[in-house]
Amino acid sequence: DSGVTQTPKHLITATGQRVTLRCSPRSGDLSVYWYQQSLDQGLQFLIQYYNGEERAKGNILERFSAQQFPDLHSELNLSSLELGDSALYFCASSPRQQSYNEQFFGPGTRLTVL
Amino acid sequence: QQQVKQSPQSLIVQKGGISIINCAYENTAFDYFPWYQQFPGKGPALLIAIRPDVSEKKEGRFTISFNKSAKQFSLHIMDSQPGDSATYFCAARDTGNQFYFGTGTSLTVIP
């Protein structure tokens, strides 16, 4: 158990809908990273937050947005969902902004868009 | 465009053998190269990592070999065990703290 929690574990929804994925980092970790893992694209970095501020942005679609709250939990919002958004979404946390040390990954949220 | 290219896609090794997974990159600004191990239904977990000023790092049965001039790095698993059967990802981080992952290698160690 990495200490990172993600909810929900599974999510099934329809095209055009909006969902929110939630992540609680390890106690004391200030950085949160979001990743999308799909069969054809592998693991893709989406976005990083550090202590509430956006720090790095990867291949995140405009339909997606994220935020980190004062209690350091983070939410990833996915809107106008398409079939291709079906994937595993992972959250990871690390103690520092620059992660020379370990990123601890959560168990993931499996999103299925029908 | 895949920033980090990983091969092979799958690998089958006998117990006790050596598993070798290779990765190549183009961006010379990458400054940190971790390897992750992922079991089915779990998130990736850091296995071992290396900085580009070092040519080799060993932790137990796992070794990273890093060739800066060739822009290649590889993971060697010595004395491979059935419990090592998992998917392995190489990754690289740029100076903007963005991580790029390889497409993964599914390793099966046969008893």
Side-chain angles (χ1 to χ4, degrees), chain A residues 31 33 48 50 55-56 94-103, chain B residues 31-32 93-99:
Chain A
S31 263
Y33 303 77
Q48 180 212 356
Y50 176 79
R55 276 293 180 259
S94 71
R96 287 171 284 276
Q97 177 181 340
Q98 294 285 97
S99 183
Y100 282 120
N101 293 314
E102 187 164 353
Q103 282 188 27
Chain B
D31 63 358
Y32 174 66
R93 193 194 76 155
D94 67 16
T95 52
N97 204 39
Q98 182 168 343
F99 283 79

Side-chain angles (χ1 to χ4, degrees), chain A residues 45-90:
Chain A
F45 169 69
L46 295 178
I47 198 165
Q48 180 212 356
Y49 279 82
Y50 176 79
N51 204 20
E53 299 288 329
E54 182 184 307
R55 276 293 180 259
K57 209 166 187 176
N59 298 321
I60 187 166
L61 300 172
E62 285 192 14
R63 300 183 286 108
F64 297 0
S65 64
Q67 54 184 327
Q68 187 179 27
F69 295 87
D71 66 352
L72 301 177
H73 91 272
S74 179
E75 292 181 356
L76 179 66
N77 300 295
L78 315 176
S79 61
S80 303
L81 285 167
E82 302 175 358
L83 295 177
D85 298 328
S86 295
L88 267 170
Y89 291 84
F90 287 104

Side-chain angles (χ1 to χ4, degrees), chain B residues 15 22 32 36 41 43 63 73-74 86 90 98 100:
Chain B
K15 178 183 174 181
N22 301 299
Y32 174 66
Y36 285 84
T63 300
F73 58 111
S74 59
C90 61
Q98 182 168 343
Y100 299 88

